[in-house]
């Protein structure tokens, strides 16, 4: 008897879904359902570790397809195997993140605008989730026909936006047990829908959080020489520490400290007793990221010491860079070529954004692709983490077909 893998290409072209090539095209009725599912998620965004409604919606749809999803130990997010794992063959995992951002949805004229104040799916996680869900449903149908060569794991991860990322908890819940490779996508508003961006090696940067508290005795602005001028100290730290780091790290490492908050003082004639700064440390290079905490601490102490300011530094480790494995990029390239042709693939640059998908790649090989979500000709200049962010929903179809093709091709390797 022929193996299930060898039967994939035995169907006559007329019987192949999509009219030739691999099976696993997205049926029109399921496409419409997935668009509605994404819009429902978009209207009901939930923050990291609070994604109870989202988790329940995914779980319900998978169970209706006859699958057996398992909610993660943290109470949100879930994992689900499509096909029966034989306990030996490493599975391919498809990963989605399910949380939203704490910002208002400012889109106008769309029926799926967020209904939750100051909450929005402004990073495309609703699209990632829907694409992995759709791929799971299509693969489940192929499994019932005996056309799924080996089991595939679906991972719906919570709290990607919460450092150090919900991937850490997901891994502790066992999502990578039996997994040999993991792939994912991230929406990219700079790439036209129907296309993906690929890159071997680092595709995102490391991202850490830095918080500094400064303290001194305070005093009158008429006598700064008798006290610690915390306003000047905070200003010098804000300006001089990034400059020092730029001279103490190889410029090719791309280490950048950028401030997002500086607070101090309440009156124009009073030198305050307390000041606070917070920001992010981003780094393109994995080795430099590992050295970054010591370098940052030393630079802050050096500048603060010049102004006699006492410091408390809270350096919060975030995520390392996402470093794409060459073979996994080859799989995504082959899958997209199968579905849309090689013209639908473009090179992409390394981003300074952080992504906790990197934690999975510390354990197993894998890759993340940029998923085009811009309608061709759209000149609005939409970007991630903005309240007006939106996508061309054809990206859902592209994501589903990319994932299904990758699952079938990976099983044939």
């Amino acid at each position: 008897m022929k193996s299930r893998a060898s039967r994939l290409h035995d169907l006559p072209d007329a019987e192949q879904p999509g009219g030739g090539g691999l099976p696993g095209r997205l049926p029109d009725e399921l496409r419409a359902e997935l668009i509605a599912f994404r819009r429902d998620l978009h209207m009901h965004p939930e923050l990291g570790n609070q994604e109870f409604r989202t988790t329940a919606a995914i779980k319900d749809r998978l169970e209706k397809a006859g699958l057996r999803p398992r909610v993660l130990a943290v109470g949100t997010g879930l994992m689900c195997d499509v096909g029966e794992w034989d306990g030996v063959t490493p599975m391919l995992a498809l990963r989605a993140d399910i949380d939203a951002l704490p910002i208002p949805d400012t889109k106008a004229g769309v029926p799926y605008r967020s209904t939750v104040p100051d909450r929005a799916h402004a990073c495309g996680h609703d699209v990632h989730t829907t694409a992995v869900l759709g791929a799971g449903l299509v693969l489940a149908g192929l499994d019932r026909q005996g056309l799924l060569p080996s089991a595939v794991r679906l991972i719906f991860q919570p709290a990607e936006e919460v450092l150090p990322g919900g991937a850490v908890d997901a891994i502790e819940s066992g999502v990578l047990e039996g997994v040999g490779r993991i792939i994912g996508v991230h929406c990219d508003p700079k790439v036209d829908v129907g296309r993906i961006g690929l890159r071997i090696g680092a595709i995102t940067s490391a991202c850490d959080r830095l918080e500094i508290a400064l303290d001194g005795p305070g005093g009158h602005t008429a006598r700064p020489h008798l006290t610690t001028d915390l306003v000047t100290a905070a200003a010098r730290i804000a300006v001089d520490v990034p400059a020092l780091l730029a001279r103490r790290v190889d410029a090719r490492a791309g280490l950048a400290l950028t401030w997002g908050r500086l607070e101090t003082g309440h009156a124009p004639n009073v030198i305050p007793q307390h000041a606070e700064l917070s920001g992010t440390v981003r780094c393109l290079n994995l080795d430099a990221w590992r050295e970054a905490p010591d370098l940052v601490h030393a630079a802050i102490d050096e500048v603060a010491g010049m102004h006699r300011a006492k410091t408390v530094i809270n350096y919060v480790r975030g995520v390392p860079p996402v470093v794409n494995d060459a073979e996994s990029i080859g799989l995504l390239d082959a899958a997209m070529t199968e579905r849309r042709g090689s013209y639908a693939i473009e090179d992409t640059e390394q981003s300074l954004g952080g992504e906790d998908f990197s934690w999975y790649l510390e354990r197993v090989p894998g890759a993340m692709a940029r998923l085009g979500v811009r309608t061709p000709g759209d000149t609005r200049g939409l970007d991630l983490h903005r309240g007006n962010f939106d996508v061309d929903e054809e990206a859902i179809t592209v994501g589903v077909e990319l994932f299904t093709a990758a699952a079938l091709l990976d099983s044939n390797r």
Side-chain angles (χ1 to χ4, degrees):
M1 180 178 291
K2 289 187 176 182
S3 69
R4 300 172 91 187
S6 67
R7 293 164 57 192
L8 285 171
H9 290 285
D10 282 355
L11 295 175
D13 284 349
E15 297 178 24
Q16 291 276 12
L22 287 178
R25 296 282 183 175
L26 185 61
D28 289 342
E29 61 273 17
L30 181 54
R31 178 181 180 276
E33 179 191 347
L34 291 176
I35 289 174
F37 189 91
R38 178 257 169 176
R39 292 185 176 190
D40 179 71
L41 294 186
H42 202 87
M43 292 172 66
H44 301 92
E46 297 173 302
L47 299 184
N49 296 315
Q50 301 173 23
E51 313 96 331
F52 297 104
R53 183 186 184 278
T54 302
T55 298
I58 300 166
K59 183 173 182 287
D60 179 66
R61 185 61 185 90
L62 291 171
E63 287 177 340
K64 286 180 178 177
L67 299 171
R68 299 187 298 276
R70 291 167 283 168
V71 176
L72 303 185
V74 291
T76 62
L78 60 161
M79 57 188 287
C80 181
D81 290 350
V82 181
E84 196 70 33
W85 183 43
D86 61 12
V88 177
T89 308
M91 286 182 285
L92 177 70
L94 314 179
R95 176 267 199 174
D97 38 11
I98 66 175
D99 57 324
L101 286 162
I103 63 175
D105 189 337
T106 61
K107 292 190 296 299
V110 296
Y112 48 84
R113 182 177 173 177
S114 172
T115 62
V116 184
D118 299 319
R119 302 288 185 269
H121 268 295
C123 199
H125 294 189
D126 52 336
V127 175
H128 309 163
T129 297
T130 305
V132 171
L133 173 65
L137 297 177
V138 171
L139 292 172
L142 294 177
D143 186 49
R144 290 190 292 270
Q145 300 173 58
L147 295 175
L148 184 63
S150 60
V152 176
R153 175 159 295 163
L154 314 178
I155 300 173
F156 298 92
Q157 176 218 300
E160 189 275 330
E161 299 286 354
V162 182
L163 291 178
V168 175
D169 291 327
I171 292 168
E172 291 179 356
S173 292
V175 299
L176 292 183
E177 293 174 9
V179 169
R181 187 185 310 280
I182 186 169
I183 58 174
V185 297
H186 198 294
C187 290
D188 191 336
K190 300 185 297 297
V191 177
D192 283 350
V193 71
R195 301 174 65 85
I196 62 169
L198 297 180
R199 179 186 177 88
I200 296 173
I203 191 172
T204 68
S205 79
C207 179
D208 299 334
R209 187 173 74 246
L210 176 64
E211 299 167 345
I212 307 171
L214 302 176
D215 290 289
H220 200 294
T221 56
R223 292 176 288 278
H225 59 292
L226 299 180
T227 186
T228 297
D229 186 352
L230 284 190
V231 175
T232 298
R236 296 316 312 177
I237 287 174
V239 173
D240 292 346
V241 170
L244 279 174
L245 292 172
R247 292 297 178 267
R248 294 179 180 177
V249 179
D250 189 328
R252 292 170 294 184
L255 192 151
L257 167 57
T258 306
W259 305 107
R261 185 176 70 94
L262 193 163
E263 293 185 14
T264 187
H266 300 285
N269 61 344
V270 177
I271 295 174
Q273 295 177 305
H274 185 75
E276 294 182 357
L277 301 90
S278 59
T280 60
V281 178
R282 298 178 187 271
C283 191
L284 300 175
N285 178 274
L286 187 58
D287 290 335
W289 175 70
R290 289 175 175 141
E291 299 174 1
D294 290 341
L295 291 169
V296 170
H297 273 78
I300 292 169
D301 288 342
E302 184 175 329
V303 176
M306 293 173 60
H307 297 275
R308 297 175 296 175
K310 296 180 180 179
T311 62
V312 176
I313 302 170
N314 182 26
Y315 193 107
V316 182
R317 265 308 197 192
V319 295
V322 172
V323 182
N324 286 338
D325 166 67
E327 187 172 348
S328 301
I329 287 293
L331 174 63
L332 289 167
D333 188 301
M336 192 63 175
T337 299
E338 176 71 29
R339 294 303 192 203
R340 301 268 168 160
S342 59
Y343 70 90
I345 302 166
E346 60 185 61
D347 294 333
T348 192
E349 61 187 12
Q350 184 177 3
S351 164
L352 276 169
E355 235 291 350
D356 75 352
F357 188 77
S358 54
W359 292 122
Y360 299 113
L361 302 187
E362 295 277 297
R363 305 291 187 93
V364 298
M368 171 169 281
R370 304 287 186 197
L371 179 66
V373 297
R374 178 179 62 192
T375 301
D378 190 337
T379 60
R380 289 177 294 171
L382 299 179
D383 200 1
L384 304 173
H385 288 221
R386 290 183 181 173
N388 66 341
F389 175 74
D390 205 354
V391 304
D392 187 316
E393 290 171 320
E394 176 63 17
I396 296 170
T397 299
V398 178
V400 170
E401 295 187 350
L402 175 69
F403 282 136
T404 54
L408 296 173
L409 291 172
D410 187 65
S411 298
N412 277 316
R413 290 191 170 205

